[in-house]
Amino acid sequence: ALPICRIAVFYQDDAFGQTGLNGVEKALQKRKLKLQGSGVYDKTKNDVSGAVKAIAAANPQAVVMISTYKPTAAFVKQMKQTGQIPQFF
């Protein structure tokens, strides 16, 4: 199996999401990797389309999702519609 080194983050625009994003960035730095891309959404609107567009453009092998159930499900569904199916965490 090939190593996963192109990693993106999908996160909600608040302290919870920002903390998660920072944690992923630190973990990647320890492994001498950089974030491939990120997408943020407003939790009051649950519109993930902008995040899908940003992350799909980055073409990641994996996406770490720092989000609640409904936007997570919408994000995965919309990512699949782009034809990209990275591993979701």
Side-chain angles (χ1 to χ4, degrees):
L2 296 172
I4 294 175
C5 51
R6 293 191 331 268
I7 299 169
V9 175
F10 168 66
Y11 66 103
Q12 64 187 41
D13 191 13
D14 64 6
F16 167 72
Q18 191 63 51
T19 299
L21 173 65
N22 293 342
V24 171
E25 288 177 325
K26 286 179 185 174
L28 289 172
Q29 285 173 355
K30 284 183 183 178
R31 291 157 181 85
K32 300 196 183 340
L33 296 171
K34 289 187 177 181
L35 195 63
Q36 182 78 14
S38 65
V40 64
Y41 74 97
D42 180 341
K43 70 178 183 177
T44 63
K45 297 179 182 153
N46 284 333
D47 178 7
V48 301
S49 59
V52 169
K53 197 177 226 180
I55 291 175
N59 192 27
Q61 294 167 293
V63 179
V64 177
M65 299 176 292
I66 304 155
S67 52
T68 56
Y69 298 115
K70 191 172 184 178
T72 299
F75 175 76
V76 171
K77 182 178 180 182
Q78 289 181 37
M79 278 296 290
K80 287 180 178 179
Q81 290 170 349
T82 71
Q84 290 189 40
I85 308 175
Q87 291 187 36
F88 297 105
F89 297 97

